[in-house]
Amino acid sequence: VPTTFGLKAAGWLLAVVEARRRLAELGALLPAELGGAAGTLAAFGADGPQVVRLFAAELGLAEPLLPWHTDRSLLARLGAALAIAAGGCAKIGYDVALLEQTEVGEVREPPGEGGSSTMPQKRNPVGSAIAVACSRRVEASAQVLLGGLAQEHERAVGGWQAEWGALTDALAFAGGAAAAVARVLHTLEVDAARMRANLELGGGAVMSERVTLLLASSLGYERARETVAAAAARASGSGGSLRAELAGELPEGELDEVFDPTTYLGAAAELVDTALDHYRKDEGWVTTATGV
Amino acid sequence: VPTTFGLKAAGWLLAVVEARRRLAELGALLPAELGGAAGTLAAFGADGPQVVRLFAAELGLAEPLLPWHTDRSLLARLGAALAIAAGGCAKIGYDVALLEQTEVGEVREPPGEGGSSTMPQKRNPVGSAIAVACSRRVEASAQVLLGGLAQEHERAVGGWQAEWGALTDALAFAGGAAAAVARVLHTLEVDAARMRANLELGGGAVMSERVTLLLASSLGYERARETVAAAAARASGSGGSLRAELAGELPEGELDEVFDPTTYLGAAAELVDTALDHYRKDEGWVTTATGV
Amino acid sequence: VPTTFGLKAAGWLLAVVEARRRLAELGALLPAELGGAAGTLAAFGADGPQVVRLFAAELGLAEPLLPWHTDRSLLARLGAALAIAAGGCAKIGYDVALLEQTEVGEVREPPGEGGSSTMPQKRNPVGSAIAVACSRRVEASAQVLLGGLAQEHERAVGGWQAEWGALTDALAFAGGAAAAVARVLHTLEVDAARMRANLELGGGAVMSERVTLLLASSLGYERARETVAAAAARASGSGGSLRAELAGELPEGELDEVFDPTTYLGAAAELVDTALDHYRKDEGWVTTATGV
Amino acid sequence: VPTTFGLKAAGWLLAVVEARRRLAELGALLPAELGGAAGTLAAFGADGPQVVRLFAAELGLAEPLLPWHTDRSLLARLGAALAIAAGGCAKIGYDVALLEQTEVGEVREPPGEGGSSTMPQKRNPVGSAIAVACSRRVEASAQVLLGGLAQEHERAVGGWQAEWGALTDALAFAGGAAAAVARVLHTLEVDAARMRANLELGGGAVMSERVTLLLASSLGYERARETVAAAAARASGSGGSLRAELAGELPEGELDEVFDPTTYLGAAAELVDTALDHYRKDEGWVTTATGV
């Protein structure tokens, strides 16, 4: 069935907005860590909890309920949130790269990036590939952070040490994925005419759901389905169009509209507005919450 | 430095409480999915959004902002939350298994589980091992769910299909980890006398931080540190105790207290209370929020 | 630049042949495990090594150098080999799914599988998706097996227990990936005419490497590259063809051949023969080695 | 049951020797890659295969059967082999760290590394932790390489680009794990007396398998097992020894030997010799094969 590029992009937007919100929330949760070797604060005498409070305030970090050197949940959550954010970028990159295929040609990353050394006309999906590649690295780093949860006693053998580099990588590659996909989206050329033309490729096959539902009101659903399937098979076999094969089944005056994909977009426009509203509200929230 | 079993267990508790809370929150967020093949709701005509609303209400699920068959973030979040919950259980299992080692002997899982076929006296850390094993499986399933984010267009090739079994496994194994560790903790025998005895094993070495800080007030930190390190080396070489080696450096009347680990526990008791308070509040929240 | 479907399939073949060979080799390596709780064979008295020899022979397994309950390398290798085999299948599935896209249409999985409930004409890449989905699950299981290497002493806490199910899953899902992709390939409809037509889509752009190399002999490489890039940009802007834009630069009698992709396939046919030779030799080896 | 430190170390050795061998074998297999954008070698005209041959010879790499830019199996194998090698090092690190625990104390990493800032006497398992931490990072990198198998057509979107850094990391961290564990093993202090003493900790419980087998010859296996289990329970309850509890069941003259763990080591010594023989042969092979 047909959809709009706008609805596809609205899906991208929501995933990214949610990922950004969670990162902002986690950033506000990250607590200071101070507890001494066993987390008892014994070296500070009776002042331990007060020292932690002042230390956290000084660093602008949240105050921990407990010293958390043995509870790595927040780092694991951060790793997962970064992987989800990068995954949202990779989803965009993937879709863009698929739309960029020569045979599809619905969008293009701008020239100047990713020219092939021997094929000057070629535009490679460079930004999309970077987003996907970075996302794979974040995912692997998140795995290390999840694996760090099962640490030994108050001082882990290796799991804890592996976290440092993994967290750095997760942050760097998530940033890389976001930057790459931002550049792609800011410069993407969208070819609406080609999108429209591709919808026609199957000779109306993209409208078969609508036709089936229409015929079902007179034929019943099962017979409608069989009728359309048979017509689709004939069209596919002869290289003809579904519309031609079904011409006798529908009033001729309705054929144009029935096979017009732009009139079978359901709530696409409304859903795009919903996503944009959500984005604008979230934008305000993030600006306030993070001061950025 | 010494710590208490209570503080260790308080760390376990917080990790589990937080993990439970996040699962309850995510459970409340999970939206219904209804959108048709491309997410436009076109087959429902003008009633699409209203149909989604009623559908979600009927299922007792949250209403989605957008059809989300292309945005798998929530499933990835659920996978990560399950991995973190299972990881919190595995941390407990790991610590228990380490405490159960013959040479440590501070806790025991009850007889009746995990008897060895050829070594009747042996008590294997069966429940702990199950918790750790389940956690590894959840982690791997979470990886599949994170990898499902970068799906293709409106219908993924494989990533989406891989989610089904991976989510089932993640739920089952997270439940397995929680059940195993609950059984372990409900029946765990704690040997406080052995814990106390193990603290003495190093001939007072566990108190070297306190001694260093005490000596530092007269000698300065660097000289205090060297003095204690040299004494520790002599003690270690001769098989003697740090206390004996440092006897001349400290007033004799204070030696007993200085080398008493029970008086160097810092804020351990207070931190345990904090964790229990937090647990009780969260218990109320979860009961209210989930109706369980 | 153009390639042939045969060369693409030859690449698929080699990956699968190599993966099959490694699995057969590993199968022959898998040793019996018998060692007692600590691997000393003490319960068998002086006969230990002899008992192991007979035990392995009885089971038709290789004789181990040492009891290997603490060295999980072979299971990790098996997990990796299964992931690589499944990955080879997923690569095929991915390529097939991409070739099946409506806008590409170069191959089709047969009807009867993966019909859409509401879009009767639609042929979904069901087999390809299964291969990719299974491969993701094998990969996750392999991760559990790799993670099992760092086990504790003679009896691991959890890592070892997690192996059982992970290995079962790895075997099952690798088999699933292979079966799915075998079914896809046995029934795949290849549309050679569409492949040929898609090569023309860019108006000869696919031949720009050849044209550049040809012009380079008179213009030098840099000027040739600029000439072709400028022509490609003009063609892309006007919707014309690269051939038309470059007509003046090349002898008219040569244009047909220069822009004929079937005469710029390099060693594709020879490479396909190489792959088939290799496959036939390997086929013989596997039959002999495994008796299947 | 008792084992020897030698047999444990023999297990470490075999895992490392096998991992080294596989890396050397894979190193010899790595082929040159030259094929042009689609792998046809078209730009080289009729000389393509010959150019590949000379190119590979020039680089000292194996000659590929086919251009392999779409078949990433060898990189995935290399990633897995590095993960297995690092996992073998992590196994050593883990065991060493467990043996280093204060309550076990059977080995020590030398002073000078890993001193605690506040606890001068403390010897942290620094090298072991590095080996484990590096191994976790290699594992995650191997995951990226396994995930790269399912690439798209002749030029992947992201999976291929993610390989570069992942392979670099896998090589670097595998090297780090090997270096760390080599340093640990070259300087490890082994405390044989403590090992012996720890065997006695359970009051002879470590010998219960032998005692059960001995009693079984007169009592039958089931009754022997129950007798020993009951004695073990009494010993455990009273803090007494299994030997004392079973004194009446065995001829007094045999008690010393029956409860002497050094006479219940089975084939441990023979197995160590087997492992060392294997190592020496492999050492020769690697030296010859790699010229190092």
Side-chain angles (χ1 to χ4, degrees):
Chain A
V1 304
T3 185
T4 66
F5 184 66
L7 183 55
K8 180 188 285 277
W12 297 345
L13 179 66
L14 269 198
V16 167
V17 164
E18 289 302 304
R20 183 181 62 170
R21 183 176 194 111
R22 290 201 62 234
L23 286 174
E25 287 170 349
L26 273 171
L29 284 179
L30 286 180
E33 161 59 18
L34 184 68
T40 58
L41 297 157
F44 301 117
D47 300 324
Q50 174 66 0
V51 172
V52 173
R53 224 162 284 139
L54 296 170
F55 177 69
E58 184 74 21
L59 294 177
L61 292 169
E63 192 185 323
L65 275 171
L66 246 62
W68 53 280
H69 62 327
T70 61
D71 175 10
R72 317 308 286 170
S73 306
L74 267 170
L75 290 190
R77 285 174 66 182
L78 184 52
L82 289 165
I84 290 169
C89 297
K91 159 71 177 158
I92 301 174
Y94 241 127
D95 280 356
V96 167
L98 289 168
L99 294 174
E100 278 183 280
Q101 293 168 98
T102 305
E103 296 87 351
V104 182
E106 301 189 355
V107 304
R108 275 181 302 189
E109 296 187 33
E113 303 222 30
S116 161
S117 51
T118 55
M119 293 175 290
Q121 91 296 348
K122 205 150 174 288
R123 298 215 200 153
N124 287 321
V126 172
S128 303
I130 292 175
V132 174
C134 285
S135 162
R136 302 270 181 111
R137 306 291 304 275
V138 183
E139 217 182 285
S141 301
Q143 190 76 352
V144 174
L145 293 171
L146 285 175
L149 289 167
Q151 302 215 346
E152 294 85 4
H153 286 330
E154 277 66 43
R155 181 55 54 93
V157 180
W160 182 65
Q161 292 80 357
E163 281 176 358
W164 310 336
L167 181 58
T168 307
D169 277 7
L171 289 162
F173 287 117
V181 95
R183 207 165 49 235
V184 167
L185 292 179
H186 282 133
T187 56
L188 198 69
E189 297 168 18
V190 177
D191 188 336
R194 183 73 181 266
M195 289 175 176
R196 189 73 179 75
N198 283 342
L199 279 177
E200 307 293 343
L201 277 183
V206 74
M207 301 311 294
S208 59
E209 179 185 271
R210 175 190 255 183
V211 179
T212 305
L213 294 174
L214 271 177
L215 293 179
S217 61
S218 52
L219 305 178
Y221 185 73
E222 271 316 303
R223 263 200 61 208
R225 200 171 182 282
E226 287 159 21
T227 304
V228 176
R234 288 195 306 273
S236 169
S238 67
S241 75
L242 182 67
R243 177 177 170 157
E245 294 292 340
L246 285 172
E249 308 281 347
L250 292 157
E252 201 182 321
E254 290 179 16
L255 277 175
D256 273 358
E257 200 196 326
V258 167
F259 281 95
D260 178 2
T262 67
T263 60
Y264 194 63
L265 295 171
E270 185 179 340
L271 293 168
V272 169
D273 288 342
T274 303
L276 286 172
D277 279 353
H278 185 75
Y279 160 65
R280 284 189 202 105
K281 268 181 230 150
D282 200 77
E283 188 79 359
W285 178 87
V286 169
T287 310
T288 311
T290 65
V292 178
Chain B
V1 303
T3 184
T4 68
F5 184 65
L7 183 56
K8 179 187 286 276
W12 297 346
L13 179 67
L14 268 198
V16 167
V17 164
E18 288 303 303
R20 183 181 63 171
R21 183 175 194 111
R22 291 203 60 233
L23 286 173
E25 286 170 349
L26 273 171
L29 284 180
L30 286 180
E33 162 58 19
L34 184 68
T40 58
L41 295 158
F44 300 116
D47 300 325
Q50 174 66 0
V51 172
V52 172
R53 223 162 286 137
L54 296 169
F55 178 70
E58 184 73 21
L59 295 177
L61 292 169
E63 192 186 323
L65 275 171
L66 248 62
W68 54 280
H69 61 327
T70 60
D71 174 10
R72 317 308 286 170
S73 307
L74 267 171
L75 290 189
R77 284 174 65 183
L78 184 52
L82 289 165
I84 290 169
C89 297
K91 158 71 177 161
I92 300 175
Y94 240 129
D95 280 356
V96 166
L98 289 168
L99 294 173
E100 278 184 280
Q101 293 168 98
T102 305
E103 294 87 350
V104 182
E106 301 189 355
V107 304
R108 275 182 302 188
E109 297 187 33
E113 303 221 33
S116 161
S117 52
T118 55
M119 294 175 289
Q121 91 296 347
K122 205 152 174 285
R123 297 215 201 154
N124 286 322
V126 172
S128 303
I130 292 174
V132 172
C134 285
S135 162
R136 301 271 180 111
R137 306 291 304 274
V138 182
E139 217 181 287
S141 301
Q143 189 76 355
V144 174
L145 293 171
L146 286 174
L149 289 166
Q151 302 215 347
E152 295 84 4
H153 286 330
E154 276 67 44
R155 181 57 50 95
V157 181
W160 183 64
Q161 292 80 356
E163 280 175 0
W164 309 336
L167 181 58
T168 307
D169 278 8
L171 289 163
F173 287 117
V181 93
R183 209 165 47 238
V184 167
L185 293 179
H186 283 133
T187 57
L188 198 69
E189 297 167 17
V190 177
D191 189 337
R194 184 71 181 266
M195 289 175 174
R196 189 72 181 76
N198 283 342
L199 280 176
E200 307 294 342
L201 277 182
V206 75
M207 301 312 294
S208 59
E209 179 185 271
R210 175 190 253 182
V211 178
T212 304
L213 295 174
L214 270 178
L215 293 179
S217 60
S218 52
L219 304 178
Y221 185 73
E222 270 318 303
R223 262 199 64 207
R225 201 174 181 281
E226 287 160 20
T227 303
V228 175
R234 288 194 308 270
S236 170
S238 68
S241 76
L242 182 66
R243 177 178 170 157
E245 294 293 340
L246 285 172
E249 307 281 346
L250 292 157
E252 202 181 322
E254 290 179 17
L255 276 176
D256 273 357
E257 199 196 327
V258 167
F259 280 95
D260 177 3
T262 67
T263 60
Y264 194 64
L265 295 172
E270 184 179 340
L271 292 167
V272 170
D273 288 342
T274 302
L276 287 171
D277 279 353
H278 183 75
Y279 160 67
R280 284 187 203 108
K281 269 182 230 150
D282 199 76
E283 189 79 359
W285 178 87
V286 168
T287 310
T288 310
T290 65
V292 179
Chain C
V1 303
T3 185
T4 67
F5 184 65
L7 184 54
K8 180 187 286 277
W12 297 344
L13 180 66
L14 269 199
V16 167
V17 165
E18 288 302 304
R20 183 181 62 170
R21 184 175 193 110
R22 291 201 61 233
L23 286 172
E25 287 170 348
L26 273 172
L29 283 179
L30 287 179
E33 161 58 19
L34 184 69
T40 58
L41 295 157
F44 300 116
D47 300 325
Q50 175 66 359
V51 172
V52 173
R53 223 163 285 138
L54 296 169
F55 177 70
E58 184 74 22
L59 295 176
L61 292 168
E63 192 185 324
L65 276 171
L66 246 62
W68 53 280
H69 61 327
T70 61
D71 174 10
R72 318 307 287 171
S73 307
L74 267 172
L75 291 189
R77 285 174 65 181
L78 184 52
L82 289 165
I84 290 169
C89 298
K91 158 72 177 159
I92 300 173
Y94 241 128
D95 280 357
V96 167
L98 290 168
L99 294 173
E100 278 183 280
Q101 294 168 98
T102 305
E103 295 87 349
V104 181
E106 301 189 355
V107 304
R108 274 182 302 188
E109 297 187 33
E113 303 222 31
S116 162
S117 51
T118 56
M119 292 175 291
Q121 91 295 348
K122 203 148 176 288
R123 297 215 201 155
N124 288 321
V126 171
S128 302
I130 293 175
V132 173
C134 285
S135 161
R136 302 272 181 110
R137 306 291 304 275
V138 183
E139 215 182 286
S141 302
Q143 189 77 355
V144 174
L145 293 171
L146 286 174
L149 289 167
Q151 302 214 348
E152 295 85 3
H153 286 329
E154 277 66 43
R155 181 55 52 95
V157 180
W160 183 65
Q161 292 82 356
E163 280 175 0
W164 310 336
L167 181 58
T168 307
D169 278 7
L171 289 162
F173 287 117
V181 94
R183 208 165 48 236
V184 168
L185 292 179
H186 282 135
T187 56
L188 198 68
E189 298 167 17
V190 177
D191 189 337
R194 184 72 183 266
M195 288 176 175
R196 189 72 179 78
N198 282 342
L199 280 176
E200 306 294 343
L201 277 183
V206 75
M207 301 311 294
S208 59
E209 179 184 271
R210 175 190 254 182
V211 180
T212 305
L213 295 174
L214 271 177
L215 293 179
S217 61
S218 52
L219 304 178
Y221 185 72
E222 270 316 304
R223 263 200 61 209
R225 201 172 180 281
E226 287 159 21
T227 304
V228 176
R234 287 195 307 272
S236 169
S238 68
S241 77
L242 183 66
R243 177 178 170 155
E245 295 291 342
L246 284 172
E249 308 280 347
L250 293 156
E252 200 180 324
E254 290 179 16
L255 277 176
D256 273 356
E257 200 197 325
V258 166
F259 280 95
D260 178 1
T262 67
T263 59
Y264 194 63
L265 294 171
E270 184 179 342
L271 293 168
V272 169
D273 288 342
T274 302
L276 287 171
D277 280 353
H278 184 74
Y279 160 66
R280 285 188 202 106
K281 268 182 230 151
D282 200 76
E283 189 78 359
W285 178 87
V286 168
T287 310
T288 311
T290 65
V292 178
Chain D
V1 304
T3 185
T4 67
F5 184 66
L7 184 55
K8 179 188 287 277
W12 297 345
L13 179 66
L14 269 199
V16 167
V17 165
E18 288 303 302
R20 183 181 62 171
R21 182 173 195 113
R22 292 202 60 233
L23 286 173
E25 287 171 348
L26 273 171
L29 284 180
L30 286 179
E33 161 59 18
L34 184 68
T40 59
L41 295 157
F44 300 117
D47 300 326
Q50 175 66 1
V51 172
V52 173
R53 223 162 287 137
L54 295 169
F55 177 69
E58 184 74 22
L59 295 177
L61 292 169
E63 192 186 323
L65 275 172
L66 248 62
W68 53 281
H69 62 328
T70 61
D71 174 9
R72 318 307 286 170
S73 307
L74 267 172
L75 290 190
R77 286 175 65 183
L78 184 51
L82 289 166
I84 291 169
C89 297
K91 159 71 177 159
I92 301 174
Y94 241 128
D95 280 356
V96 167
L98 289 169
L99 294 173
E100 278 183 281
Q101 294 167 98
T102 305
E103 294 87 350
V104 182
E106 300 189 356
V107 305
R108 274 181 303 189
E109 297 187 33
E113 304 221 31
S116 160
S117 51
T118 56
M119 293 175 290
Q121 92 295 349
K122 204 150 175 287
R123 297 215 200 154
N124 287 321
V126 172
S128 303
I130 292 174
V132 173
C134 285
S135 162
R136 301 271 181 110
R137 306 292 303 274
V138 182
E139 217 182 285
S141 301
Q143 190 76 353
V144 174
L145 293 170
L146 286 174
L149 289 167
Q151 303 215 346
E152 294 85 4
H153 286 330
E154 277 66 45
R155 180 57 51 95
V157 181
W160 183 65
Q161 292 80 356
E163 280 175 359
W164 310 335
L167 182 57
T168 308
D169 277 7
L171 289 163
F173 287 117
V181 93
R183 207 164 48 236
V184 167
L185 292 179
H186 282 134
T187 56
L188 198 68
E189 297 168 18
V190 177
D191 188 337
R194 183 71 182 268
M195 289 176 175
R196 190 74 180 73
N198 283 342
L199 280 177
E200 307 294 342
L201 277 183
V206 75
M207 301 312 293
S208 60
E209 179 185 272
R210 176 189 254 182
V211 179
T212 304
L213 295 175
L214 270 178
L215 293 179
S217 60
S218 52
L219 304 178
Y221 185 72
E222 271 317 303
R223 262 199 63 206
R225 201 173 180 281
E226 287 160 21
T227 304
V228 175
R234 286 193 308 272
S236 170
S238 68
S241 75
L242 182 66
R243 176 176 172 159
E245 294 292 340
L246 285 171
E249 308 280 346
L250 292 158
E252 202 183 320
E254 290 179 16
L255 277 176
D256 274 356
E257 199 195 327
V258 168
F259 281 94
D260 177 3
T262 66
T263 61
Y264 194 63
L265 295 172
E270 185 179 340
L271 293 168
V272 169
D273 288 342
T274 302
L276 287 171
D277 279 353
H278 185 74
Y279 160 66
R280 283 186 204 107
K281 270 183 229 148
D282 200 77
E283 188 79 358
W285 179 87
V286 169
T287 310
T288 310
T290 64
V292 178

